[in-house]
Amino acid sequence: MKKLPLLIILSLATVPFLRAELKLPAIIGDHMVLQQKQADPIWGWDTPGTKVTVTFAGKEYPATAGSDGKWMVKLDPMPANATPQALTISGSSKKVIQDVLIGEVWMCSGQSNMGFKLAQDWNGDLESSASKLSDLRLITVPRLGTQELQTDFKGEWVSSTPETSQKFTAVGFLFGRYLHQILNVPVGLIDNSWGGSAAEAWVRRSTLESDSRFKGLMDATVKKEAECQTEKAKQDYDQAMAKWKVDSEKAKSEFRTPPSAPKSPQEWMAGNQRPGNIFNGVVNPTLGYGIKGVIWYQGESNSGRAYEYGFLFPFMIEQWRKEWGQGDFPFYWVQLANYMPQKPQPAESGWAELRESQTKTMSLPNTGQAVIIDLGEGNNIHPRNKHDVAARLVRWPLVKDYGMKLPFRSPEFQSLSVIGNKATVTIDCFGSKLRPFGVNEAIGFALCGEDKVWHWAQGKIVGKDQNQVEVTCAEVPAPVAVRYAWADNPVCNLYSMDGLPVTPFRSDDFPMSTKPKIPPPSAASSH
């Protein structure tokens, strides 16, 4: 028999379906939670043409491995069940998945504030001590940035314990624990967050390339890819590394903190900001797994391009929903917290503009945001109070998806009327009333006249429904626009009576500071 070349043998070994064995993705394994009340997909790979049977809860589901080796079945919708069951898969071999529960499954995505571990929370030691919950299940998808579509990852489902919870996303864990204990059903949480990631990395690259609104983004991407692979880029990196080593040794000798090491061009190529990288390496391996919805905490990395985020973020949500094939599943996010030094005078702000882009994204169905303009830390981009973040976020699904009656939505700007020197803002409090925190004055407002020069202003709650604020400023005798909490790190104090902070807003439509000088083309026909 003629021997195959070693290279061909190795290539064949990397293709799952050419193995004469049954293979399952990591997302389908022992201790997993299936989403209740929907037809959950179960899939894997086997030799092409192999008959596969999935048996679960007394029912059999047949399938045949296709030419690419992949097979899939969809389980019948089932109610929540905390009694562990086995799921059996028979093909060229047999696998038994143990300890399967049925309940609510949520994906926890975003950048470092979602990836922020429970152990790092101010009360992380207490929270993890109270985390021995056998029906709360956790799985983490490793970070892999690539332009090649991945179908699997290395990971496994585990029960929540003081040891496993500490390493899990704090916002995700606390959100999931609320759901588990309030709904009294099993909960599964999938953490695929990646610190420092940009939104465009979370989207399939071909969809970005086919939408004319992202032409500038993709042109810049192609240019950077070419630059990263030049000999000059390698030489520049080598020189930067040599300088860094010298500077680091000097800093150590002077008992100073060494500077950060320079990043190699290849680090960006395989990193978390290159379009498509995270979708391919992190999202796709779980694509289609039965979920209730997604919670999201990201935007910091896109704050310099807040204008673009206004259509990139909703585009990402729409694409995920199309990819998943589960309809318009719930998608809730955390608005950016207050951060960076406070400014003595009103100024333009990329962070404020990104918050506005997030707020506008609520025009999509089944979306919502938790406003945390009061929970940040000016000198720390990773505020350590994640409990209150999760508590505000979980109100959305408890009301919108699980039928509870709770305050859940932060007050939002509704309208502005100007009479003389008084600008009266009407705020939709969603059944509540306004309350200034700490003092009687409503703090955080700015006014401008026709000259578009902003000045701090005084605010006073008025109106029989206590949902209006009268805003005045001696320097602006004829106001034309008002802004509230419009800064990187605003000083503001307006809440609903239920304790939810008023959403930052502006009444004007002046050009955004993050808008490119050359506007992008009109939206693609796909919308």
Side-chain angles (χ1 to χ4, degrees):
M1 178 179 174
K2 186 177 179 181
K3 292 185 177 180
L4 290 172
L6 178 61
L7 179 60
I8 295 178
I9 294 173
L10 291 174
S11 297
L12 294 178
T14 62
V15 183
F17 64 79
L18 289 180
R19 300 174 183 168
E21 63 174 324
L22 177 67
K23 184 180 185 298
L24 301 176
I27 194 69
I28 296 173
D30 294 345
H31 318 301
M32 69 178 177
V33 178
L34 297 174
Q35 175 59 43
Q36 67 166 323
K37 300 177 183 177
Q38 70 182 36
D40 296 316
I42 300 293
W43 73 93
W45 302 270
D46 211 327
T47 306
T50 301
K51 301 295 184 183
V52 178
T53 301
V54 176
T55 305
F56 186 66
K59 294 186 178 181
E60 292 187 349
Y61 304 85
T64 301
S67 59
D68 62 351
K70 187 173 181 179
W71 55 265
M72 177 185 287
V73 303
K74 287 192 175 182
L75 305 179
D76 290 341
M78 292 169 281
N81 190 341
T83 301
Q85 300 180 74
L87 185 148
T88 302
I89 304 170
S90 300
S92 60
S93 58
K94 182 178 179 180
K95 292 185 182 292
V96 180
I97 307 300
Q98 302 286 359
D99 190 25
V100 179
L101 305 181
I102 306 172
E104 294 297 304
V105 181
W106 286 82
M107 182 162 282
C108 314
S109 293
Q111 58 182 109
S112 53
N113 271 305
M114 180 60 81
F116 191 92
K117 307 304 181 193
L118 182 64
Q120 299 169 283
D121 183 87
W122 285 123
N123 291 313
D125 49 357
L126 295 176
E127 301 291 6
S128 60
S129 296
S131 67
K132 189 174 182 180
L133 301 163
S134 61
D135 292 349
L136 177 58
R137 306 291 174 81
L138 320 171
I139 189 169
T140 300
V141 183
R143 297 187 289 261
L144 174 64
T146 176
Q147 294 289 288
E148 302 296 326
L149 206 60
Q150 303 297 300
T151 57
D152 200 5
F153 64 94
K154 291 183 179 180
E156 59 183 5
W157 286 96
V158 297
S159 292
S160 173
T161 67
E163 293 72 36
T164 59
S165 66
Q166 288 186 46
K167 304 171 186 175
F168 203 70
T169 155
V171 170
F173 169 80
L174 295 166
F175 172 94
R177 189 177 68 184
Y178 270 120
L179 291 181
H180 172 51
Q181 295 181 329
I182 292 173
L183 303 176
N184 196 30
V185 300
V187 169
L189 301 172
I190 304 167
D191 175 12
N192 65 359
S193 57
W194 189 337
S197 57
E200 57 267 28
W202 291 88
V203 187
R204 190 187 291 269
R205 179 167 180 155
S206 60
T207 63
L208 292 169
E209 292 171 333
S210 64
D211 193 311
S212 60
R213 293 175 299 173
F214 307 112
K215 185 179 186 302
L217 171 65
M218 298 314 297
D219 286 349
T221 296
V222 171
K223 181 180 179 182
K224 185 159 188 174
E225 289 169 337
E227 291 173 348
C228 284
Q229 299 177 78
T230 62
E231 184 61 29
K232 182 179 184 302
K234 182 180 182 302
Q235 292 174 354
D236 290 347
Y237 171 68
D238 290 341
Q239 291 174 2
M241 278 297 293
K243 182 177 184 301
W244 173 75
K245 290 177 181 178
V246 173
D247 293 344
S248 294
E249 289 302 318
K250 182 179 179 182
K252 291 176 183 176
S253 67
E254 296 173 352
F255 304 100
R256 294 184 289 107
T257 302
S260 299
K263 294 184 178 181
S264 74
Q266 293 309 308
E267 191 172 345
W268 183 85
M269 295 287 282
N272 56 9
Q273 302 208 354
R274 187 182 181 189
N277 263 12
I278 300 179
F279 179 87
N280 291 331
V282 176
V283 177
N284 195 67
T286 63
L287 196 62
Y289 189 82
I291 60 173
K292 180 66 174 183
V294 173
I295 55 172
W296 176 264
Y297 192 161
Q298 188 274 340
E300 297 92 337
S301 291
N302 288 85
S303 60
R305 293 178 285 125
Y307 173 82
E308 178 186 76
Y309 200 80
F311 43 90
L312 175 58
F313 183 40
F315 179 82
M316 187 203 83
I317 296 173
E318 290 174 327
Q319 290 303 312
W320 277 26
R321 287 172 168 174
K322 289 177 183 177
E323 301 270 9
W324 238 274
Q326 289 185 196
D328 291 338
F329 57 73
F331 197 108
Y332 305 124
W333 59 87
V334 181
Q335 193 186 58
L336 290 190
N338 46 312
Y339 173 58
M340 294 183 284
Q342 294 174 350
K343 300 289 179 64
Q345 297 298 326
E348 300 301 328
S349 163
W351 276 55
E353 292 180 6
L354 193 126
R355 293 186 194 110
E356 180 182 70
S357 291
Q358 290 174 313
T359 299
K360 287 182 175 180
T361 300
M362 284 196 289
S363 62
L364 292 182
N366 297 332
T367 57
Q369 75 175 357
V371 177
I372 60 164
I373 198 65
D374 56 332
L375 300 181
E377 300 176 28
N379 60 357
N380 187 356
I381 199 171
H382 304 120
R384 293 181 64 182
N385 175 8
K386 293 297 192 266
H387 178 276
D388 287 349
V389 176
R392 289 180 188 170
L393 190 59
V394 79
R395 290 175 177 272
W396 279 90
L398 287 175
V399 173
K400 303 293 285 185
D401 305 303
Y402 301 118
M404 296 187 67
K405 295 188 181 299
L406 297 167
F408 70 100
R409 185 165 182 167
S410 275
E412 296 167 16
F413 172 76
Q414 189 170 351
S415 63
L416 171 68
S417 65
V418 177
I419 299 177
N421 68 336
K422 294 179 181 179
T424 301
V425 177
T426 300
I427 295 175
D428 189 342
C429 294
F430 304 103
S432 187
K433 298 177 180 179
L434 293 175
R435 174 179 67 93
F437 180 80
V439 295
N440 291 329
E441 180 185 350
I443 300 171
F445 287 90
L447 285 177
C448 80
E450 291 289 348
D451 60 3
K452 298 183 180 180
V453 177
W454 293 94
H455 301 269
W456 296 128
Q458 292 71 51
K460 180 175 67 173
I461 295 175
V462 296
K464 61 182 178 64
D465 295 324
Q466 295 183 39
N467 67 335
Q468 294 182 312
V469 182
E470 184 182 276
V471 186
T472 57
C473 175
E475 290 88 352
V476 186
V480 299
V482 62
R483 291 178 174 181
Y484 172 76
W486 196 264
D488 302 329
N489 186 4
V491 178
C492 53
N493 73 336
L494 266 189
Y495 290 78
S496 69
M497 287 291 188
D498 306 306
L500 297 176
V502 169
T503 306
F505 66 83
R506 62 175 180 149
S507 69
D508 63 273
D509 59 355
F510 303 157
M512 296 170 70
S513 65
T514 55
K515 183 177 181 178
K517 294 181 180 178
I518 301 176
S522 60
S525 58
S526 60
H527 284 265

